[in-house]
């Protein structure tokens, strides 16, 4: 998987006691639980590792996605993201993430058939979407309706049954676009457009978004392909915030709809999948290329963050951002150039030549250009995190299954360092 399989040992001297310990190193890591043997006395609980926000803690062993943040490498099951974006479809990649291998022709046909024939949702779903306020954020609607799906599929609770698990995986991947499009239609007051199983996964989503009076919606092939690539680029990103939420909630053996709702809720945050929405709002606020240097100065003064820049893992470049820039050109051929692109390009140019951004290793991430493409395609900004959620669903599910099948995993339950009050007592009343 990586080139880090170098077994060895770490010698530790505890200066408090003078004792020596030898900790095993596997795959470039020591086990945090091995620290527990390091004690000052028999009653001592043992040494903990303190790692707020998991900056340096591996929470699992995984075979799904490999990232080298310094080199800007992203691979799904060993395949470079660049090759997949060029030669595979989103559904191929979903299959790859879930099964470990790309599908052959027959498997791809069967998989596509399974997904495209599970796109409908129960009519009651429309009723509770109807209960949301007219200007409800579609991501809020998505999070709630995904969770609500668990009430329609009681078999989803059988998380130890591989067959039942796979049923929910298919349903979730198939129904996310339907819920997403229905959330949008609710906000615009348009009647819901039902799925069209003849179309591709992405083509059908565009159909449910944009179909009006035509008998059959025919997606523009360039936009259909571009959106498929965008979904594919978002399909997994190892142990990010939303995936960790998926694994964490799933580790309590919650059903996958509830766990996916938790993952989507994490994705909603502006520091994660909500960032693409914030990028657009930021570009609109900057308004013109002339205002870029002033805006960058404010960022450097710490007044605000440059949205769509920076990443916990990528410290050189985000390979997805490079692919997205190419996709943007194809999309603009069809839709016309998004005027915000000029501001984005100027912002990138100014930031990449600036000492602050160079020393802080801040580069455009996947969200920087994706929003500009989505907007050119006609999606309102509120839909951006929703689009991200559709793309990320196969990754969440692959990680969830891997977690359930991993004999080392238990319910996720971090420790804390208690730094509050010592024991004290209420005053006795007179
Ligand atoms: N603009 C300006 N400065 C930044 C930015 C930014 N976007 N991101 C980080 N910094 C600075 C911080 O101020 C800090 O500076 P300091 O050391 O001088 O105090 C330093 O860089 C490190 O920042 P952290 O917040 O510690 O970095 P972390 O790895 O925790 O955060 C994150 C990563 C959340 C992505 C951050 O870069 C950020 O907020 N970016 C903007 C939001 C965004 O685009 N999120 C999408 C991420 S990609 C995704 O989720 C799909």
């Amino acid at each position: 998987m990586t080139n880090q399989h170098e077994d060895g040992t770490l010698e530790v001297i505890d200066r408090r006691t003078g004792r020596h310990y030898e900790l095993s190193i596997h795959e470039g890591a020591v086990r945090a639980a091995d620290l527990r043997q390091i004690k000052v006395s028999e009653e001592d609980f043992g040494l903990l590792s303190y790692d707020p926000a998991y900056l340096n803690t591996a929470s699992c062993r995984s075979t799904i996605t490999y990232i080298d943040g310094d080199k800007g490498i992203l691979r799904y099951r060993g395949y470079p993201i660049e090759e997949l974006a060029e030669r595979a479809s989103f559904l191929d990649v979903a299959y790859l993430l879930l099964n470990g291998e790309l599908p052959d022709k027959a498997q791809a046909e069967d998989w596509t058939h399974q997904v495209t024939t599970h796109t409908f949702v129960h009519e009651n779903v429309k009723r509770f979407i109807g209960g949301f306020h007219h200007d409800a954020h579609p991501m809020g609607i998505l999070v709630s309706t995904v969770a609500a799906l668990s009430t329609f599929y009681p078999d989803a609770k059988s998380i130890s049954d591989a067959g039942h698990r796979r049923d929910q995986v298919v349903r979730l991947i198939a129904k996310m676009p339907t819920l997403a499009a229905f959330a949008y239609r609710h906000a615009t007051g348009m009647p819901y457009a039902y799925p069209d199983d003849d179309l591709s996964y992405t083509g059908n989503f565009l159909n449910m978004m944009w179909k009006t009076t035509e008998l059959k919606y025919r997606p523009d092939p360039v936009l259909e392909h571009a959106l498929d690539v965008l979904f594919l680029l978002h399909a997994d990103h190892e142990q990010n915030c939303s995936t960790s939420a998926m694994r964490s909630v799933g580790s309590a053996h919650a059903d996958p709809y509830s766990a996916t709702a938790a993952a989507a809720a994490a994705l909603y945050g502006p520091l994660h999948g909500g960032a693409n929405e914030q990028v657009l709002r930021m570009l609109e606020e900057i308004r013109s290329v002339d205002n870029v240097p002033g805006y960058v100065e404010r960022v450097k003064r710490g007044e605000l963050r440059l949205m769509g820049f920076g990443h916990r893992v990528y410290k050189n470049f985000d390979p997805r951002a490079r692919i997205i820039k190419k996709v943007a050109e194809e999309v603009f051929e069809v839709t016309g150039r998004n005027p915000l692109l000029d501001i984005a390009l100027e912002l990138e140019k100014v930031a990449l030549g600036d000492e602050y951004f160079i020393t802080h290793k801040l580069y455009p991430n996947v969200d920087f250009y994706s929003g500009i493409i989505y907007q050119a395609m006609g999606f309102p900004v509120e839909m951006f995190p929703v689009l991200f959620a559709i793309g990320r669903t196969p990754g969440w599910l692959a990680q969830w299954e891997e977690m359930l099948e991993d004999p080392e995993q238990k319910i996720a339950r971090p420790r804390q360092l208690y730094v509050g009050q010592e024991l004290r007592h209420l005053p006795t009343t007179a």
Side-chain angles (χ1 to χ4, degrees):
M1 196 170 74
T2 72
N3 57 3
Q4 294 186 329
H5 289 269
E6 192 181 89
D7 287 0
T9 56
L10 174 73
E11 200 181 338
V12 177
I13 306 168
D14 185 348
R15 296 270 177 231
R16 299 170 302 174
T17 58
R19 287 204 196 115
H20 285 236
Y21 300 87
E22 225 169 70
L23 308 183
S24 300
I25 301 174
H26 290 287
E27 290 147 354
V30 291
R31 286 189 175 256
D34 284 352
L35 298 173
R36 290 274 292 278
Q37 60 185 299
I38 304 176
K39 300 178 176 200
V40 285
S41 66
E42 265 318 297
E43 304 79 58
D44 185 1
F45 181 78
L47 205 62
L48 288 173
S49 62
Y50 175 57
D51 189 11
Y54 307 119
L55 287 173
N56 197 40
T57 293
S59 60
C60 62
R61 300 174 75 245
S62 181
T63 61
I64 300 172
T65 290
Y66 173 69
I67 299 177
D68 183 327
D70 290 328
K71 298 200 183 105
I73 291 173
L74 169 61
R75 293 181 200 142
Y76 295 157
R77 301 282 191 186
Y79 292 113
I81 192 70
E82 293 80 4
E83 288 177 27
L84 291 167
E86 205 156 304
R87 281 179 250 155
S89 71
F90 171 66
L91 279 192
D92 290 340
V93 162
Y95 185 97
L96 171 70
L97 292 170
L98 287 155
N99 300 294
E101 297 296 335
L102 280 164
D104 62 24
K105 198 163 172 289
Q107 287 163 333
E109 275 169 18
D110 178 53
W111 171 238
T112 305
H113 178 76
Q114 282 183 54
V115 173
T116 52
T117 52
H118 283 86
T119 48
F120 276 71
V121 291
H122 194 288
E123 284 291 288
N124 283 355
V125 173
K126 281 184 359 196
R127 296 235 295 277
F128 57 76
I129 291 182
F132 282 94
H133 213 273
H134 69 90
D135 58 357
H137 196 292
M139 196 63 178
I141 300 182
L142 183 75
V143 168
S144 320
T145 47
V146 174
L149 282 188
S150 73
T151 64
F152 293 89
Y153 304 110
D155 57 335
K157 294 196 189 320
S158 313
I159 51 127
S160 316
D161 181 313
H164 282 171
R165 270 207 314 261
R166 206 32 80 100
D167 290 345
Q168 319 314 325
V169 164
V170 169
R171 285 175 177 144
L172 269 159
I173 293 173
K175 293 179 202 307
M176 284 296 268
T178 314
L179 297 178
F182 281 16
Y184 166 75
R185 291 267 178 164
H186 172 72
T188 53
M190 295 274 289
Y192 301 117
Y194 282 97
D196 180 345
D197 296 352
D198 284 347
L199 295 172
S200 72
Y201 182 83
T202 307
N204 171 49
F205 174 59
L206 292 171
N207 156 68
M208 292 187 289
M209 284 291 298
W210 311 126
K211 183 170 190 278
T212 51
T213 54
E214 62 273 51
L215 285 179
K216 176 123 186 134
Y217 178 86
R218 304 217 179 268
D220 181 292
V222 174
L223 302 186
E224 182 183 3
H225 174 253
L227 190 58
D228 202 71
V229 173
L230 282 160
F231 284 158
L232 178 158
L233 295 179
H234 286 88
D236 194 52
H237 213 233
E238 51 119 308
Q239 308 313 314
N240 55 84
C241 180
S242 57
T243 302
S244 302
M246 180 88 192
R247 278 182 174 258
S248 202
V249 173
S251 77
H253 291 183
D255 68 80
Y257 300 97
S258 305
T260 301
L267 190 73
Y268 194 1
L271 295 187
H272 190 11
N276 49 17
E277 184 177 346
Q278 299 307 322
V279 170
L280 252 281
R281 295 194 193 285
M282 175 186 76
L283 295 176
E284 278 161 1
E285 190 194 328
I286 296 175
R287 270 206 330 277
S288 108
V289 168
D290 297 343
N291 296 333
V292 165
Y295 197 86
V296 169
E297 283 310 311
R298 288 180 64 200
V299 171
K300 284 161 61 179
R301 283 201 298 271
E303 287 173 31
L304 25 89
R305 284 197 167 200
L306 203 53
M307 299 314 286
F309 263 68
H311 200 276
R312 172 62 61 77
V313 179
Y314 296 119
K315 298 298 174 194
N316 186 341
F317 67 93
D318 181 337
R320 302 167 300 174
R322 285 195 171 168
I323 300 169
I324 285 182
K325 237 174 141 175
K326 272 200 249 154
V327 172
E329 284 162 25
E330 290 163 29
V331 169
F332 295 151
E333 294 263 314
V334 177
T335 62
R337 197 176 158 87
N338 186 334
L340 293 178
L341 181 67
D342 292 329
I343 303 176
L345 288 170
E346 182 63 16
L347 206 52
E348 181 180 349
K349 197 174 100 199
V350 172
L352 294 186
D354 189 288
E355 195 53 24
Y356 175 90
F357 293 87
I358 295 166
T359 50
H360 284 78
K361 298 186 177 230
L362 297 171
Y363 299 86
N365 60 46
V366 66
D367 289 322
F368 192 63
Y369 285 104
S370 63
I372 301 175
I373 304 179
Y374 294 148
Q375 194 184 49
M377 291 172 88
F379 291 102
V381 283
E382 296 77 20
M383 282 299 284
F384 297 178
V386 173
L387 298 168
F388 193 155
I390 296 174
R392 184 54 58 86
T393 299
W396 287 333
L397 292 164
Q399 299 272 351
W400 168 72
E401 280 212 296
E402 186 177 68
M403 182 270 305
L404 288 176
E405 284 174 352
D406 181 346
E408 280 199 301
Q409 291 291 338
K410 292 170 181 251
I411 187 166
R413 205 310 188 175
R415 296 275 172 182
Q416 65 164 11
L417 306 180
Y418 178 71
V419 292
Q421 299 280 357
E422 294 292 338
L423 175 66
R424 56 180 173 162
H425 299 285
L426 291 170
T428 47
T429 44

